[in-house]
Structure formats: structure tokens, C-alpha cells
Amino acid sequence: QVQLVESGGGLVQAGGSLRLSCAASGSIFSLNTMAWYRQAPGKQRELVAAITSGGSANYADSVKGRFTISRDNAKNTVYLQMNSLKPEDTAVYYCGANLRSTWYTTEGNYWGQGTQVTVSS
């Protein structure tokens, strides 16, 4: 059983900052790419940022220069530092991870339950 638990969402004024965390736990043999997605009301879920196990990161154009993704492999945790937040960043943010739970299973994608981020103008 694998769980991804997010934390750190909340309400912040435009221009402010938030830091999201997502910890993976349970049966984890190898943890590959971890990522943050977001879904605003009435919109499709979109990739915000992703980071490989080696630390290579990529970002959506809309957040480049404002958001930073990082991870602590020893803690199976990924972070998203969000600065200069805008009202259009308001969404439910989801953590995703690609991993193998045991040496004999194939890779699978897992999701957290989501955390709300609201940016007021």
C-alpha cells in the first residue's frame, strides 16, 4: 500500500508565498519522478512541475521563475515553493509519483488527495 500525503495549502494574498509538501509512504522499492499538478474549477488538471530522482526539474511556463520544485530522497518527500503567487494560481494542488512498490512489480502512478491553494487579489 502506497500513500501520498500533501500539506501546506491555504489562503494567501497575491504576491505572497506558500510551500507545499508531499510525503510518500508505504511499500516503496523505487521512487522515480515526482510531480505537482493543479486543477482549477472548470478546468483540466495540468502539470505544474516535475522532478526526477536525479534532481532534474521542469516547469509549466506559467510558473517558471516563481515556483521551485525540490525533493528529499531520504524522506521520499517532494516540495513546491511558490512565490509571487497570483489569483490565477488558485486551484487544488495534487502530488503525483511514479514508483515501483516492490522489485517484482511494474511502475505505477500514484496520487495524493490534493490540497487547496487560494490566492486572493
Side-chain angles (χ1 to χ4, degrees), residues 7-121:
S7 61
L11 173 65
V12 64
Q13 287 189 330
S17 298
L18 282 175
R19 189 191 194 212
L20 305 182
S21 300
C22 170
S25 63
S27 177
I28 299 173
F29 176 74
S30 64
L31 187 55
N32 305 319
T33 297
M34 301 185 78
W36 288 97
Y37 290 76
R38 68 186 180 188
Q39 188 167 19
K43 294 189 176 181
Q44 289 189 329
R45 189 174 297 191
E46 63 174 356
L47 176 67
V48 175
I51 185 167
T52 66
S53 57
S56 295
N58 63 280
Y59 299 90
D61 288 342
S62 59
V63 306
K64 281 181 182 176
R66 300 188 298 122
F67 291 10
T68 302
I69 190 171
S70 61
R71 63 190 284 172
D72 184 334
N73 289 331
K75 296 181 179 179
N76 288 341
T77 298
V78 64
Y79 306 97
L80 185 68
Q81 178 66 43
M82 304 185 293
N83 299 329
S84 302
L85 282 160
K86 304 175 181 180
E88 51 263 44
D89 294 318
T90 295
V92 178
Y93 282 70
Y94 296 91
C95 171
N98 177 267
L99 60 89
R100 292 176 66 185
S101 56
T102 67
W103 66 269
Y104 52 85
T105 54
T106 57
E107 296 176 350
N109 296 319
Y110 295 82
W111 294 94
Q113 80 287 353
T115 185
Q116 177 70 46
V117 171
T118 302
V119 184
S120 64
S121 57

